Amino acid sequence: MKHGKKYTDAAKLIESSKTYDPSEALELCCKTATAKFDETVELHVRLGVDSRHADQQVRGAVVLPNGTGKNVRVIAIAKGDAAKAAEAAGAQEVGDDELIAKIAGGYLDFDVLVTTPDMMGRVGRLGKVLGPKGLMPSPKAGTVTPDVAKAVQEVKAGKIEYRLDKTNIIHCPIGKVSFGAEKLTENYNALMGAIVKAKPASAKGQYIRSCVAASTMGPGVKVNGAKLV
């Protein structure tokens, strides 16, 4: 793969064979972000588990102390008081059967869907629509809950979901380049702390195999995933 001059020059600031402490790695991510827009910094964590086994799944959610820097679009499927509370908490759209039908018809103009447990029987029918987009609500992610207002507030405040992909890697945003290294490090600590706590009892050997941070258009920086600041 051929890279442009900006990327090549940025990559020269990074020692490819070196694993950096988190704060230093995130400082480098900020320095090597050369795009004209405010790039997102992502963390890619390879775990020593096998996602094919149900008892080795790693999935959960965490509220980043400094948010993600993104205006998250949240909708809620709920009825009665729960629906009113979700609307008051800032959900961009709230409904029940009509909203379910709208989504079934192709409406996907949102980032997170929260719902109450009593509505999951109906929401479950949207699996074929929501599943491939990673939008299906789940209790583990905190998006199926009786307190939808709290769920909406947390998502808008910077709550993110982390989960293994088929290659045993977790990919998550931890903020914007404009946050600076200090705030990004605080978000890094929150996410990595949650991943470490979520270690399955059946996982053997080295849990954090590798950790790489990178801005949207920048080169990857190897991070010492075993270290929290």
Side-chain angles (χ1 to χ4, degrees):
M1 184 177 178
K2 191 174 182 180
H3 294 290
K5 186 177 184 300
K6 285 185 178 180
Y7 181 99
T8 304
D9 289 343
K12 290 176 183 176
L13 299 173
I14 300 165
E15 292 181 45
S16 59
S17 60
K18 182 178 177 180
T19 300
Y20 295 87
D21 283 348
S23 56
E24 191 178 2
L26 294 167
E27 184 73 53
L28 279 169
C29 281
C30 295
K31 284 182 180 177
T32 55
T34 57
K36 293 180 180 178
F37 61 92
D38 192 7
E39 297 180 49
T40 296
V41 177
E42 288 195 350
L43 203 61
H44 309 276
V45 187
R46 183 184 294 276
L47 300 181
V49 296
D50 189 341
S51 62
R52 293 174 297 179
H53 299 294
D55 63 349
Q56 292 192 37
Q57 287 291 330
V58 179
R59 181 180 183 181
V62 61
V63 178
L64 299 179
N66 299 299
T68 62
K70 180 182 178 183
N71 180 25
V72 184
R73 301 166 299 172
V74 190
I75 67 168
I77 293 176
K79 286 185 173 182
D81 291 341
K84 292 175 184 175
E87 192 170 0
Q92 72 170 24
E93 192 164 353
V94 181
D96 45 70
D97 291 335
E98 285 185 9
L99 184 51
I100 289 170
K102 186 176 177 180
I103 294 168
Y107 170 67
L108 293 170
D109 193 22
F110 55 90
D111 301 302
V112 178
L113 166 61
V114 300
T115 188
T116 49
D118 62 301
M119 295 298 293
M120 268 307 290
R122 301 176 195 179
V123 175
R125 301 170 196 162
L126 299 172
K128 289 183 179 179
V129 179
L130 299 174
K133 300 289 184 182
L135 295 171
M136 193 69 184
S138 76
K140 282 189 176 180
T143 45
V144 178
T145 171
D147 194 347
V148 286
K150 183 182 177 183
V152 170
Q153 289 169 344
E154 287 183 340
V155 169
K156 293 185 78 67
K159 187 175 187 177
I160 60 167
E161 183 182 0
Y162 58 87
R163 61 188 299 179
L164 281 180
D165 67 9
K166 291 179 180 179
T167 60
N168 304 316
I169 300 175
I170 290 174
H171 309 271
C172 273
I174 56 169
K176 297 286 187 179
V177 166
S178 60
F179 283 17
E182 187 176 342
K183 287 186 176 179
L184 288 171
T185 301
E186 289 172 359
N187 282 356
Y188 164 90
N189 288 337
L191 175 59
M192 289 300 292
I195 292 172
V196 169
K197 284 182 182 177
K199 180 181 178 180
S202 57
K204 306 297 181 185
Q206 186 180 357
Y207 181 53
I208 306 292
R209 291 286 176 86
S210 66
C211 183
V212 175
S215 61
T216 306
M217 305 295 288
V221 184
K222 293 178 184 176
V223 188
N224 181 355
K227 190 167 185 178
L228 299 181
V229 179

